[in-house]
Structure formats: C-alpha cells, structure tokens
Amino acid sequence: CICMYWEQMLRAVHAIHEARVIHGDLKPANFLCVQGSLKLIDFGIAKQSTADTTKIARDTQVGTVNYMSPESITADFEADTPEGMLKLGRASDVWSLGCILYQMAYGKTPFAHLRTIYQKLGAIPDPSKKIAFPPLRNANLLDVLQRCLQRQPSQRPTIPELLAHSLLCSYPSDVVPPPPRSGVDPAAASSVAPITMEQLPALLQQISSLVGGGSGLERVIQRSD
C-alpha cells in the first residue's frame, strides 16, 4: 500500500539526513523496490555537510524538474566559494518526497499540466501558481501532501514529524513481506528485476481494481488504514 512505501521512503531519507547528507535529487527512479523493501540510490549530486547538519552544497543547479523544490530553483550560488556552490536544506528533500507522494495519490506530479520545462521552472517557486489538491478519501493523506508542498521551506514538516503523522499512526510498521508462493524458487524470486517507483502508481491502480474498483489510488490507502 502507499502507506508502507511512504514510510519506507521517509525512513530511507531520514537515515541519510542523520548522516548529515542531503540527497538533492529525490525522484521515483531513485527508489528501488526489492522484495517489498525500498532502497534509496543515486547520490551523484549529494554531498556531506560539514558545518551545518541541515544544509548541503551541490555543485550545480541540477535535478529533475518535476521534483525540484522552489529553493533549488531560486537559490543563488555562493560567490565566496571556488566552485560557486548552491546550498540546500533538508526541507528540499521533503518537498521532493511530497511530489512523489502526490504522484502516487493522483497519478501525476503537481505541475504535470505545464508542458515545458521553462513553464515549470517559473511556476514551482511562484506562490501565485496554486497547487491543485483534488479531494481524497483519506484526509490524512491530503494533509501530508499540503504540508510537504509548502513553498516556504520553514513551513514544511520535518521527516520525524511526517513519521509521527496520523497517516502512519494506524499503519503497522513491522509488517513482514509475505513469503514466496508455494512452488516458487526463492533464489529465482530474488533475481527478479527491481520495480521502480515510476511503476508503483500503475501497480496500485491494478490492485485497486482487483479489490473492488474505484476512481483513484486513494481507495487502496483507505483499505490499508
């Protein structure tokens, strides 16, 4: 269910934040699902913070536009550093996580309706460009989305706050993935290619139809609560 994957994403990012690392380029393709557990990969632009545990410097203003935080677009490069570094905080990763959760809930990213990269780069940091939050059956899910996608970094929740949110309070965190079905070779099962988070919305949509149909992925979450 979405809650299970959401919690695993939060814990993975929290672990690197505790190690004073900001990922800086979180997107669905950087989470691999292997036998029910998510693995965070691709630290190509991540760096370790030295002075401030909540900030990270990266060499260039790069990232995947659909998941880039407003501050990663508008922040100025530091002129007093040889490389012209750009500093980002942990809240930048929280925004990116919110974009991924938005995609899982609605089947698209918050600014998917904009056709060009330039339109997106202009809209993401612009407070006048309101993010649409269509109604969801799960009020807790909607609340998390609205909190994560605050344009002001200081207004976004921390990852510990998200882990303590009501969305996950009723979800058992010690769920163990089911064993392979009878007749399935465990070695063969472990050799199956990982599923990327890009495939997760479609997978959840299929599950939703199998358990009784529905118009959105939130039905799967509702059943899991």
Side-chain angles (χ1 to χ4, degrees):
C1 70
I2 288 181
C3 290
M4 178 182 70
Y5 285 110
W6 175 240
E7 181 177 14
Q8 290 186 26
M9 284 191 292
L10 291 175
R11 293 193 182 280
V13 177
H14 180 60
I16 67 170
H17 284 183
E18 288 297 289
R20 298 187 303 169
V21 172
I22 308 302
H23 191 282
D25 190 28
L26 291 175
K27 54 188 174 184
N30 285 343
F31 288 95
L32 295 183
C33 181
V34 182
Q35 294 184 327
S37 297
L38 288 185
K39 308 296 182 183
L40 180 58
I41 64 170
D42 192 358
F43 292 85
I45 64 174
K47 293 182 180 293
Q48 188 171 21
S49 175
T50 54
D52 188 338
T53 60
T54 64
K55 289 189 177 181
I56 189 66
R58 67 187 191 187
D59 296 324
T60 55
Q61 205 164 10
V62 298
T64 306
V65 174
N66 285 330
Y67 309 96
M68 287 177 68
S69 65
E71 62 269 27
S72 68
I73 296 173
T74 60
D76 293 327
F77 291 98
E78 293 191 334
D80 58 347
T81 59
E83 300 86 357
M85 306 290 267
L86 173 70
K87 284 196 173 182
L88 295 175
R90 299 182 185 192
S92 182
D93 281 347
V94 171
W95 171 281
S96 300
L97 285 170
C99 291
I100 296 172
L101 184 62
Y102 189 102
Q103 183 176 4
M104 292 166 69
Y106 296 114
K108 60 182 179 181
T109 52
F111 298 94
H113 60 286
L114 300 176
R115 304 185 64 179
T116 70
I117 292 177
Y118 302 104
Q119 288 176 319
K120 293 177 182 180
L121 289 174
I124 290 172
D126 186 352
S128 69
K129 305 295 183 182
K130 302 299 182 182
I131 299 174
F133 293 98
L136 294 171
R137 296 185 180 218
N138 191 312
N140 287 323
L141 173 61
L142 183 60
D143 184 65
V144 168
L145 289 170
Q146 292 174 332
R147 288 171 181 265
C148 289
L149 296 177
Q150 295 284 336
R151 284 187 167 88
Q152 287 297 325
S154 61
Q155 295 179 3
R156 295 173 210 148
T158 64
I159 290 190
E161 288 172 344
L162 290 171
L163 285 167
H165 191 275
S166 299
L167 178 63
L168 297 179
C169 283
S170 61
Y171 166 72
S173 59
D174 58 349
V175 174
V176 178
R181 292 174 297 174
S182 177
V184 177
D185 181 2
S190 64
S191 66
V192 176
I195 302 171
T196 68
M197 286 291 289
E198 291 284 6
Q199 298 169 307
L200 187 56
L203 176 61
L204 291 175
Q205 189 70 49
Q206 293 174 10
I207 295 174
S208 180
S209 63
L210 289 174
V211 297
S215 59
L217 298 178
E218 68 272 14
R219 178 178 292 274
V220 179
I221 307 174
Q222 189 74 14
R223 290 176 178 270
S224 69
D225 292 343

